[in-house]
Amino acid sequence: MYKEHIIIGYGAWAKKIINFLIKNKLFKKIIVVRQKKQFIIYPNYKLINKKELKKIYSRNSTGHICSDNKTHYKYFKLFTKLKKKFIIEKPLINSKNDLKKISKIKNKKKILVNYIDLFNSNLIKIKKILNKNKKKIIKIQIIYTSKNQKYKKKSLLINEWLDHPLSIILYLFNKFPKFKLIKFERSYIKKKNLYETVELEYKLKNITINILISNKIKKQRLIIVKINSKKYFFNLNNHKNKNSKSSFFNLYKNLMKFNKSKFVFDFSFHKKIFNEKIKLNKKIN
């Protein structure tokens, strides 16, 4: 068990993280920082003032930035300056302005961004299958869909979802081949809710990768690997498998072994993902 952990934000995702941390007793103390107040949530609830928070910041605590995307740069800069080991939720880069500002920050050698499916044990199985079949024709489908997700603004679906499949491609193949836009649909229902469907295709020598993201199709978070006539199905919604740790557990394991982790990438990894989303936005808008 580690000593102190700071959670920035207190939305639905932050609460999910907190519940996991408390259940698994990974930290002796968990502190939540919101815009207008901060408090210790575990082991016992207690409001704290800004002076107390400064003391916590100065100690050897770890952190997890789960706040609104617009605040990511602010806390990224703070935690980097304090030389803390921390996790930041994707996307790390929200705009070209963010890119410029983050590029100027010193001591940002390695960054642990929570592309949650990189910590899914299924990804190790996929990598093993690909390594065993290097010379064969391989087709990979990466599917992220959910009818429950509703948006008001254009391209929010791309900006918030595309990081997941792109991080998987970059992790597995170390690069992005040129993509082909297969399909793009945008529609409104009752002039309020915006629905988008995007299908992309990437081609390597013997590998074809298709990405489908949509908030118009029933919920799926799936990778299908096809080699000849054989298909392998990997359901990424199953964050906990029978013989493996949960994605959250693997994420926090990488936080603790920060300097030795294979998933704590340098800034260029995240920059490539941002630039890939910019290319797609130019094609569809």
Side-chain angles (χ1 to χ4, degrees):
M1 184 186 281
Y2 295 85
K3 288 186 179 180
E4 294 180 323
H5 189 59
I6 303 161
I7 300 282
I8 306 292
Y10 198 52
W13 185 252
K15 287 173 183 174
K16 201 171 183 177
I17 297 287
I18 291 164
N19 288 337
F20 162 78
L21 295 176
I22 292 170
K23 185 180 177 182
N24 289 276
K25 297 180 181 179
L26 294 186
F27 298 95
K28 288 181 180 177
K29 190 183 286 186
I30 300 170
I31 301 98
V32 174
V33 177
R34 302 183 74 181
Q35 273 190 326
K36 294 183 180 179
K37 69 176 182 178
Q38 47 280 329
F39 51 90
I40 296 166
I41 195 167
Y42 178 83
N44 299 304
Y45 182 86
K46 182 192 172 187
L47 280 170
I48 56 174
N49 58 37
K50 288 185 179 179
K51 281 186 179 180
E52 289 172 300
L53 182 62
K54 276 188 178 180
K55 285 181 183 178
I56 292 165
Y57 278 152
S58 68
R59 295 200 289 263
N60 189 27
S61 51
T62 53
H64 192 152
I65 302 168
C66 301
S67 51
D68 185 89
N69 290 354
K70 291 176 184 177
T71 67
H72 280 192
Y73 168 72
K74 173 187 171 182
Y75 289 105
F76 175 81
K77 186 180 179 182
L78 173 66
F79 281 0
T80 304
K81 188 179 178 181
L82 293 169
K83 296 181 180 178
K84 290 198 177 297
K85 293 177 182 177
F86 66 94
I87 302 163
I88 182 166
E89 287 298 319
K90 59 86 191 160
L92 170 64
I93 307 162
N94 289 286
S95 64
K96 288 182 179 178
N97 190 39
D98 269 2
L99 179 61
K100 285 179 185 177
K101 289 190 291 184
I102 293 172
S103 298
K104 290 176 184 177
I105 295 174
K106 295 176 182 179
N107 302 320
K108 60 174 191 311
K109 292 177 184 176
K110 297 283 184 178
I111 306 162
L112 180 52
V113 175
N114 185 17
Y115 308 108
I116 190 64
D117 293 320
L118 289 190
F119 304 98
N120 192 303
S121 57
N122 278 318
L123 205 63
I124 296 166
K125 294 174 188 175
I126 292 168
K127 196 162 190 176
K128 283 179 180 176
I129 290 168
L130 295 177
N131 288 335
K132 282 181 183 177
N133 297 277
K134 283 182 178 180
K135 294 182 180 180
K136 294 180 181 177
I137 302 296
I138 300 169
K139 290 184 179 180
I140 301 171
Q141 287 178 277
I142 306 175
I143 302 163
Y144 282 78
T145 59
S146 177
K147 272 186 174 181
N148 300 327
Q149 207 71 40
K150 295 173 183 178
Y151 294 103
K152 305 289 181 187
K153 293 181 181 178
K154 291 178 182 179
S155 298
L156 267 180
L157 175 84
I158 290 163
N159 293 331
E160 295 198 3
W161 286 23
L162 199 57
D163 290 67
H164 291 301
L166 290 182
S167 66
I168 290 168
I169 292 172
L170 197 53
Y171 169 71
L172 290 174
F173 304 107
N174 299 314
K175 64 179 180 179
F176 292 122
K178 192 174 180 181
F179 74 81
K180 182 180 177 183
L181 182 62
I182 304 297
K183 182 180 181 181
F184 175 68
E185 289 179 354
R186 181 180 282 153
S187 59
Y188 290 88
I189 294 180
K190 297 179 181 178
K191 296 182 180 179
K192 287 183 180 180
N193 297 321
L194 176 64
Y195 292 87
E196 292 180 325
T197 298
V198 181
E199 190 176 347
L200 304 173
E201 183 181 85
Y202 288 88
K203 278 197 174 183
L204 291 145
K205 286 180 181 178
N206 59 317
I207 300 171
T208 303
I209 307 158
N210 278 85
I211 294 175
L212 173 66
I213 57 171
S214 176
N215 64 334
K216 205 175 179 181
I217 304 167
K218 70 177 183 178
K219 190 172 182 178
Q220 286 187 96
R221 204 179 181 108
L222 184 68
I223 296 179
I224 304 166
V225 179
K226 186 181 178 184
I227 302 168
N228 297 329
S229 59
K230 192 169 184 178
K231 283 186 179 182
Y232 303 86
F233 292 83
F234 300 94
N235 185 356
L236 301 179
N237 276 319
N238 294 337
H239 286 309
K240 192 166 185 178
N241 298 316
K242 201 173 182 180
N243 299 313
S244 63
K245 298 287 186 181
S246 71
S247 300
F248 285 157
F249 191 92
N250 290 333
L251 169 66
Y252 270 83
K253 187 179 175 182
N254 280 274
L255 175 65
M256 300 317 166
K257 61 173 188 177
F258 197 87
N259 295 323
K260 294 180 180 179
S261 169
K262 292 179 182 178
F263 296 97
V264 181
F265 303 109
D266 60 29
F267 181 59
S268 63
F269 183 94
H270 314 291
K271 187 178 174 181
K272 284 174 186 175
I273 289 172
F274 175 74
N275 286 335
E276 198 68 7
K277 290 197 293 184
I278 291 289
K279 287 178 194 174
L280 178 58
N281 273 313
K282 281 181 180 176
K283 277 212 169 193
I284 64 174
N285 291 320

